[in-house]
Amino acid sequence: MSSIPEDLQYTKEHEWVSGAEDGITLTVGITAHAADALGEVVYVKLPEVGEAVTAGTPIGEVESTKSVSDVFAPVGGEVVEVNETLDANPALINSDPYGDGWLFRVRLEGSADDLLSAAEYTALTSGEA
Amino acid sequence: MSRPTPLRGVHESLGATLTDFAGWLMPLRYGSESAEHNAVRQAAGLFDLSHMGEIFVTGAQAAEALDYALVGHLSALEPGRARYTMIVNAEGGVLDDLIVYRLAPEEFMVVANASNYPRVAAELTERAKDFDAAVDDRSERYALVAVQGPRSTEILAALTDADLDGLKYYAGLPATVAGREALIARTGYTGEDGFELFVAAEDAEPLWAALTEAGAPHGLVPAGLSARDTLRLEAGMPLYGNELSADHTPFEAGLGRVVRFDKPGDFVGRAALEARKDVPPARRLVGLVATGRRVPRHGYSVVVAGEGTIVGTVTSGAPSQTLGRPIAMAYVDNGLTSGLAVDIRGTHEPVDVVELPFYRRKK
């Protein structure tokens, strides 16, 4: 059973969003559940720093041995940082999905109302199992 | 509901990620699929292939019945040997690719793909009805375990007195393995030397345990379907449903050599295949190596680079451990050998056209 940290928020697209450290900038990654389902990640295409993104739209992709999945913007805003270490070491998404395997940071514009709590995401993934 | 193999309990105890494949609950991977892939290339891997079908054809005219039913010349096969062949429909479209073992002069075992074997058994029964031959689908009774990789001979030798060094590639030998009756076949689907062991379903678990123990010092690891797929892709081996289907003849797949027009008598598909054997197919199966890191996958279009005209379709694609770049097989308009790209989710990524296979083991 994959871990689902209590202190994060989630999307139906199996991404996690960290509590904003400075109240505005959110960190985004994919969940351990999604990383397990994908298998070994071999390539990640991330958005550009400075890119304006709209919640729910595809902005990148995660490629594994067996499949490729879209990365969605969980909230609207501006991409302010991307995890460049993934270019050389995409498997960090498998080994440390909530830590060194983070994908990008986005400065929130507007609200982030549609995110799921850990309990809601747990219910979502157990329904899929 | 997916059907479990006799080794389901073993897979669960090993923590395998299980997946539905052709209606069967199969291990996709046990841990890292690239580690499993590399183990098969460098040491050995242990596979559960119990989803494959075993159909027996026996009787005084079993050989003649198979000559009529399949594209190969099975009556020419010596007992103890095996052959890669195909069953086609009247139009020459491939219904399945098969390995046929001649176990005795009047006894053959036809190994068919999991998704196809009920249909293959039905077709063989129909095609054999005018011959003195009986067709018996014994798939339920058999388990199939494969040991593949450069260390596989040493591993298996610890468990059997059979003469493995004398067993040729594409040959089968009845023997005792770890105290169980087995047919040892020197066949596989990985591009490596290795063995496939056909045993009674109830012997699968003890055989797996014995192989695991004997293989541990040699680096044997259990390997799932994910590794099997990347291994067979590197080895340029076709997969039914991807490279092979009823929409393609063996010629388009580059496997025209398996069609034996020189055998005696008629066979199902002969007229259709003879009409096409000297006509260059519109498309042929080629290998593609991506120059970037995005992976051309099954169903993606092959296009003319810089122009976008669709000239083919990818049938299988994956990142290649051995080449360090994504590879694919694709049906591409005949004659096109350069200047191609694959439409990967809206972007045209350049690819090089190469001869198959991508990987060939050093003998």
Short mmCIF file of all heavy atoms in Angstrom, two decimals, chain B residues 255-276:
data_model
loop_
_atom_site.label_atom_id
_atom_site.label_comp_id
_atom_site.label_asym_id
_atom_site.label_seq_id
_atom_site.Cartn_x
_atom_site.Cartn_y
_atom_site.Cartn_z
N LEU B 255 8.52 -12.23 -42.05
CA LEU B 255 8.61 -13.63 -41.61
C LEU B 255 8.16 -14.58 -42.72
O LEU B 255 7.67 -15.67 -42.46
CB LEU B 255 7.78 -13.83 -40.35
CG LEU B 255 8.33 -13.06 -39.13
CD1 LEU B 255 7.29 -12.98 -38.02
CD2 LEU B 255 9.61 -13.71 -38.62
N GLY B 256 8.35 -14.14 -43.97
CA GLY B 256 7.95 -14.98 -45.10
C GLY B 256 8.65 -16.33 -45.12
O GLY B 256 8.13 -17.30 -45.68
N ARG B 257 9.82 -16.38 -44.48
CA ARG B 257 10.57 -17.65 -44.48
C ARG B 257 9.83 -18.78 -43.79
O ARG B 257 10.11 -19.95 -44.02
CB ARG B 257 11.94 -17.46 -43.83
CG ARG B 257 11.85 -17.14 -42.34
CD ARG B 257 13.22 -16.93 -41.70
NE ARG B 257 13.06 -16.69 -40.27
CZ ARG B 257 12.76 -15.51 -39.74
NH1 ARG B 257 12.59 -14.46 -40.53
NH2 ARG B 257 12.63 -15.37 -38.43
N VAL B 258 8.88 -18.46 -42.93
CA VAL B 258 8.15 -19.54 -42.23
C VAL B 258 7.09 -20.18 -43.13
O VAL B 258 6.57 -21.24 -42.80
CB VAL B 258 7.50 -19.07 -40.90
CG1 VAL B 258 8.52 -18.39 -40.01
CG2 VAL B 258 6.29 -18.19 -41.13
N VAL B 259 6.76 -19.53 -44.26
CA VAL B 259 5.75 -20.09 -45.17
C VAL B 259 6.45 -21.04 -46.13
O VAL B 259 7.30 -20.64 -46.92
CB VAL B 259 5.03 -18.97 -45.96
CG1 VAL B 259 3.94 -19.57 -46.83
CG2 VAL B 259 4.45 -17.93 -45.01
N ARG B 260 6.09 -22.32 -46.03
CA ARG B 260 6.82 -23.36 -46.78
C ARG B 260 5.98 -23.83 -47.97
O ARG B 260 5.27 -24.84 -47.90
CB ARG B 260 7.17 -24.51 -45.84
CG ARG B 260 8.13 -24.09 -44.72
CD ARG B 260 9.52 -23.75 -45.27
NE ARG B 260 10.07 -24.89 -45.95
CZ ARG B 260 10.77 -25.85 -45.35
NH1 ARG B 260 11.04 -25.77 -44.07
NH2 ARG B 260 11.21 -26.89 -46.05
N PHE B 261 6.13 -23.07 -49.07
CA PHE B 261 5.40 -23.46 -50.29
C PHE B 261 5.92 -24.77 -50.87
O PHE B 261 5.24 -25.41 -51.67
CB PHE B 261 5.55 -22.35 -51.35
CG PHE B 261 4.87 -21.07 -50.98
CD1 PHE B 261 5.62 -19.92 -50.74
CD2 PHE B 261 3.49 -20.99 -50.87
CE1 PHE B 261 5.00 -18.73 -50.40
CE2 PHE B 261 2.86 -19.80 -50.53
CZ PHE B 261 3.62 -18.67 -50.29
N ASP B 262 7.13 -25.15 -50.47
CA ASP B 262 7.74 -26.37 -51.04
C ASP B 262 7.25 -27.65 -50.38
O ASP B 262 7.62 -28.74 -50.80
CB ASP B 262 9.28 -26.28 -50.91
CG ASP B 262 9.74 -26.09 -49.46
OD1 ASP B 262 8.92 -25.61 -48.63
OD2 ASP B 262 10.91 -26.39 -49.17
N LYS B 263 6.39 -27.53 -49.37
CA LYS B 263 5.91 -28.77 -48.73
C LYS B 263 4.81 -29.40 -49.59
O LYS B 263 4.16 -28.71 -50.38
CB LYS B 263 5.40 -28.47 -47.32
CG LYS B 263 4.14 -27.62 -47.23
CD LYS B 263 3.74 -27.43 -45.76
CE LYS B 263 2.62 -26.42 -45.64
NZ LYS B 263 2.15 -26.25 -44.25
N PRO B 264 4.60 -30.70 -49.43
CA PRO B 264 3.59 -31.37 -50.26
C PRO B 264 2.16 -30.99 -49.84
O PRO B 264 1.91 -30.72 -48.68
CB PRO B 264 3.85 -32.85 -50.00
CG PRO B 264 4.53 -32.91 -48.68
CD PRO B 264 5.31 -31.64 -48.55
N GLY B 265 1.28 -30.97 -50.82
CA GLY B 265 -0.14 -30.80 -50.53
C GLY B 265 -0.56 -29.35 -50.34
O GLY B 265 0.27 -28.44 -50.31
N ASP B 266 -1.85 -29.20 -50.21
CA ASP B 266 -2.41 -27.87 -50.00
C ASP B 266 -2.33 -27.51 -48.51
O ASP B 266 -2.17 -28.40 -47.67
CB ASP B 266 -3.88 -27.87 -50.46
CG ASP B 266 -4.45 -26.46 -50.58
OD1 ASP B 266 -3.64 -25.50 -50.66
OD2 ASP B 266 -5.68 -26.32 -50.58
N PHE B 267 -2.42 -26.24 -48.20
CA PHE B 267 -2.58 -25.83 -46.81
C PHE B 267 -3.45 -24.59 -46.76
O PHE B 267 -3.55 -23.85 -47.75
CB PHE B 267 -1.23 -25.61 -46.11
CG PHE B 267 -0.37 -24.52 -46.67
CD1 PHE B 267 -0.44 -23.22 -46.17
CD2 PHE B 267 0.57 -24.78 -47.68
CE1 PHE B 267 0.37 -22.20 -46.66
CE2 PHE B 267 1.39 -23.77 -48.18
CZ PHE B 267 1.29 -22.48 -47.68
N VAL B 268 -4.07 -24.38 -45.63
CA VAL B 268 -4.99 -23.25 -45.49
C VAL B 268 -4.19 -21.96 -45.68
O VAL B 268 -3.21 -21.72 -44.98
CB VAL B 268 -5.68 -23.26 -44.11
CG1 VAL B 268 -6.60 -22.05 -43.96
CG2 VAL B 268 -6.46 -24.55 -43.92
N GLY B 269 -4.61 -21.15 -46.63
CA GLY B 269 -3.94 -19.89 -46.91
C GLY B 269 -2.96 -19.95 -48.07
O GLY B 269 -2.43 -18.93 -48.48
N ARG B 270 -2.70 -21.16 -48.62
CA ARG B 270 -1.66 -21.29 -49.65
C ARG B 270 -1.94 -20.39 -50.85
O ARG B 270 -1.06 -19.62 -51.28
CB ARG B 270 -1.52 -22.74 -50.13
CG ARG B 270 -0.40 -22.88 -51.19
CD ARG B 270 -0.43 -24.23 -51.91
NE ARG B 270 0.34 -25.27 -51.25
CZ ARG B 270 1.65 -25.51 -51.48
NH1 ARG B 270 2.34 -24.74 -52.30
NH2 ARG B 270 2.25 -26.51 -50.87
N ALA B 271 -3.16 -20.46 -51.39
CA ALA B 271 -3.46 -19.70 -52.61
C ALA B 271 -3.29 -18.21 -52.37
O ALA B 271 -2.67 -17.49 -53.17
CB ALA B 271 -4.88 -20.01 -53.08
N ALA B 272 -3.80 -17.74 -51.24
CA ALA B 272 -3.72 -16.30 -50.95
C ALA B 272 -2.26 -15.87 -50.76
O ALA B 272 -1.84 -14.81 -51.24
CB ALA B 272 -4.52 -15.98 -49.69
N LEU B 273 -1.48 -16.70 -50.09
CA LEU B 273 -0.08 -16.34 -49.82
C LEU B 273 0.76 -16.45 -51.09
O LEU B 273 1.66 -15.63 -51.32
CB LEU B 273 0.49 -17.21 -48.71
CG LEU B 273 -0.10 -16.93 -47.31
CD1 LEU B 273 0.39 -17.96 -46.29
CD2 LEU B 273 0.29 -15.52 -46.83
N GLU B 274 0.48 -17.45 -51.95
CA GLU B 274 1.24 -17.56 -53.20
C GLU B 274 1.00 -16.34 -54.07
O GLU B 274 1.92 -15.85 -54.74
CB GLU B 274 0.86 -18.85 -53.95
CG GLU B 274 1.63 -20.05 -53.41
CD GLU B 274 1.42 -21.33 -54.21
OE1 GLU B 274 0.39 -21.43 -54.90
OE2 GLU B 274 2.28 -22.20 -54.09
N ALA B 275 -0.22 -15.85 -54.05
CA ALA B 275 -0.53 -14.68 -54.87
C ALA B 275 0.21 -13.44 -54.38
O ALA B 275 0.42 -12.49 -55.13
CB ALA B 275 -2.04 -14.42 -54.84
N ARG B 276 0.63 -13.46 -53.11
CA ARG B 276 1.26 -12.26 -52.54
C ARG B 276 2.75 -12.41 -52.33
O ARG B 276 3.42 -11.42 -51.98
CB ARG B 276 0.58 -11.92 -51.21
CG ARG B 276 -0.88 -11.55 -51.42
CD ARG B 276 -1.59 -11.28 -50.13
NE ARG B 276 -1.17 -10.01 -49.54
CZ ARG B 276 -1.84 -9.41 -48.57
NH1 ARG B 276 -2.95 -9.95 -48.12
NH2 ARG B 276 -1.41 -8.28 -48.06
#
